[in-house]
Amino acid sequence: MKEIKALTSLRGIAALAVVMQHFSRTAQDHCPSVIPSLVPHGYLAVDFFFVLSGYIMCYTYLSKFKQGGWSAYGPFLQRRAIRLLPLNAFITLALLLAGWLSIGATGTNMFFGELRYPIDIVTNLLMLQGLGLGHNMNAPSWSVSAELMAYVTFPLLIYAVFSRRRVVVGLALLAALALLLKIALASPRLGLAADDPVGGAMRCFSEFTLGMLVYRWTGDQSWAQRLGGDRVTAALLAASVLLLLLRIDLFIALSFPLVVGAVSCNRGRVATLLSHPALHLLGQISYSLYLIHNAFRPIATLILVTLHPAPLNMAGALLFAFVASLAVLPFAWLTYRWIEQPSRTFLQRRLFARASSSGTA
């Protein structure tokens, strides 16, 4: 399938938003004054990931399921595992090593908390920690763990979202909205910050389904043309940013399916702008950026207190958060080029070779 570069770029922007929000929290620990986050409610980028993933899974794999039925399920899961697990395994092992070195050097583990050996290592390697199985060594990875469960149920979601019976599709939409509303009503200002196993799964399945529903909707060419015009796409992007500034999570999350649908259908200036090579590269390294950045927070803190032991003022804290966020980008590029990309290519070739030999046999 042809890549939708503008969506790849948006994924990169969303990953950087998470990074900047997390480093803003780190900066706050070293500033006596309350500082604003570099990205207000940047954790909602996770909700964008869920919507985008639902859309992209349909874009990439729906035709294979329609043609092959359940026979497409195994290869689908294998490809998703190849995409996600190798980098996660590398980071898990790197965190273990870094934690042990930290204990040896300082007497404390700067990188993660309590571990139960070997069960926590196994659950983290298999990315099951977001389901409440064991202690999570890499906090941001909970969302990818939750997303794996959406992949497991993908054929059932296809049945609901692409059913010929409108009542089934309507029920899928209502269920997705109800899950999101349930989380929002339980939080102040309709918040969606739940990242516990139950709340995280609800966010994931709701927004993943909304992404799939938007894919179905944009399959209608008349709607795709209306939604994908430059003015509509730019207006939806601007509205989403404005809602982010207003900090009402539910409304922000509900704008994401429209943004994904509009950008995917756009063939004009917005798509050209978002497809800029720098933004596209940010999207390519977004998974690496998302998974590795949390480990750099204690390192950045150590460097900060060594160079500047005194508390920071507001401007200094914001500058630290900004510089530290950008400093992770080269390392994300390195893990993308040296770990993520080579392992994916190698395993995909092995999978293709095995499939070819089975077909020959």
Side-chain angles (χ1 to χ4, degrees):
M1 298 293 292
K2 184 179 180 181
E3 178 188 8
I4 306 175
K5 289 187 175 182
L7 289 182
T8 301
S9 297
L10 284 183
R11 187 177 68 224
I13 293 169
L16 186 58
V18 173
V19 174
M20 287 188 166
Q21 193 225 5
H22 284 168
F23 275 102
S24 296
R25 289 183 185 175
T26 302
Q28 181 66 79
D29 294 337
H30 302 279
C31 180
S33 305
V34 176
I35 66 171
S37 174
L38 291 176
V39 181
H41 289 217
Y43 57 82
L44 287 171
V46 171
D47 299 83
F48 182 82
F49 292 150
F50 291 151
V51 173
L52 181 60
S53 184
Y55 189 95
I56 292 298
M57 290 306 101
C58 289
Y59 178 77
T60 307
Y61 296 105
L62 180 62
S63 60
K64 294 180 175 62
F65 276 93
K66 286 185 173 180
Q67 293 171 5
W70 281 97
S71 65
Y73 187 47
F76 167 75
L77 290 180
Q78 288 176 326
R79 289 185 179 278
R80 299 321 298 159
I82 287 171
R83 175 70 177 90
L84 300 177
L85 294 182
L87 179 63
N88 175 72
F90 168 79
I91 292 170
T92 299
L93 296 175
L95 281 172
L96 275 173
L97 177 60
W100 292 335
L101 292 175
S102 172
I103 292 172
T106 67
T108 60
N109 189 336
M110 299 190 304
F111 297 95
F112 55 88
E114 179 186 1
L115 270 191
R116 294 173 300 176
Y117 297 95
I119 183 64
D120 286 342
I121 298 176
V122 173
T123 56
N124 278 268
L125 286 172
L126 297 178
M127 221 169 228
L128 301 175
Q129 66 274 27
L131 307 179
L133 303 175
H135 298 95
N136 191 352
M137 295 171 57
N138 185 20
S141 66
W142 75 266
S143 64
V144 189
S145 180
E147 201 170 303
L148 282 175
M149 296 303 100
Y151 299 153
V152 170
T153 59
F154 188 50
L156 300 178
L157 294 174
I158 288 176
Y159 170 78
V161 171
F162 294 92
S163 173
R164 295 180 180 179
R165 300 171 62 187
R166 291 186 178 180
V167 65
V168 175
V169 180
L171 287 173
L173 174 61
L174 288 175
L177 294 175
L179 287 175
L180 211 57
L181 188 61
K182 180 176 175 58
I183 300 172
L185 291 176
S187 306
R189 290 179 58 83
L190 300 176
L192 295 175
D195 59 1
D196 60 284
V198 175
M202 290 170 64
R203 283 170 73 185
C204 177
F205 277 98
S206 169
E207 292 157 348
F208 191 92
T209 302
L210 290 175
M212 294 178 66
L213 286 163
V214 167
Y215 181 84
R216 173 173 176 151
W217 180 35
T218 55
D220 185 321
Q221 289 301 311
S222 61
W223 280 110
Q225 290 175 2
R226 296 173 190 174
L227 189 64
D230 271 337
R231 290 183 179 180
V232 174
T233 304
L236 287 170
L237 284 167
S240 190
V241 172
L242 178 61
L243 288 170
L244 194 63
L245 295 175
L246 294 176
R247 306 186 186 195
I248 302 177
D249 290 0
L250 179 62
F251 299 153
I252 300 167
L254 290 176
S255 74
F256 290 155
L258 295 174
V259 168
V260 169
V263 171
S264 68
C265 296
N266 184 268
R267 300 294 182 270
R269 295 180 180 178
V270 175
T272 300
L273 177 63
L274 287 174
S275 300
H276 187 279
L279 291 176
H280 183 248
L281 177 61
L282 181 62
Q284 288 180 309
I285 68 171
S286 60
Y287 182 51
S288 284
L289 178 62
Y290 184 72
L291 280 195
I292 73 167
H293 80 272
N294 204 55
F296 283 86
R297 293 171 68 187
I299 297 173
T301 295
L302 182 62
I303 294 172
L304 173 65
V305 298
T306 301
L307 298 178
H308 194 284
L312 299 171
N313 58 27
M314 183 180 294
L318 289 173
L319 179 62
F320 163 72
F322 182 74
V323 172
S325 298
L326 296 185
V328 182
L329 291 176
F331 296 97
W333 181 82
L334 288 174
T335 54
Y336 171 74
R337 288 297 301 270
W338 291 356
I339 307 298
E340 182 183 347
Q341 197 176 41
S343 62
R344 190 193 319 169
T345 301
F346 173 75
L347 291 172
Q348 283 178 342
R349 286 176 178 171
R350 290 290 299 270
L351 177 63
F352 178 77
R354 189 172 63 182
S356 298
S357 62
S358 299
T360 303

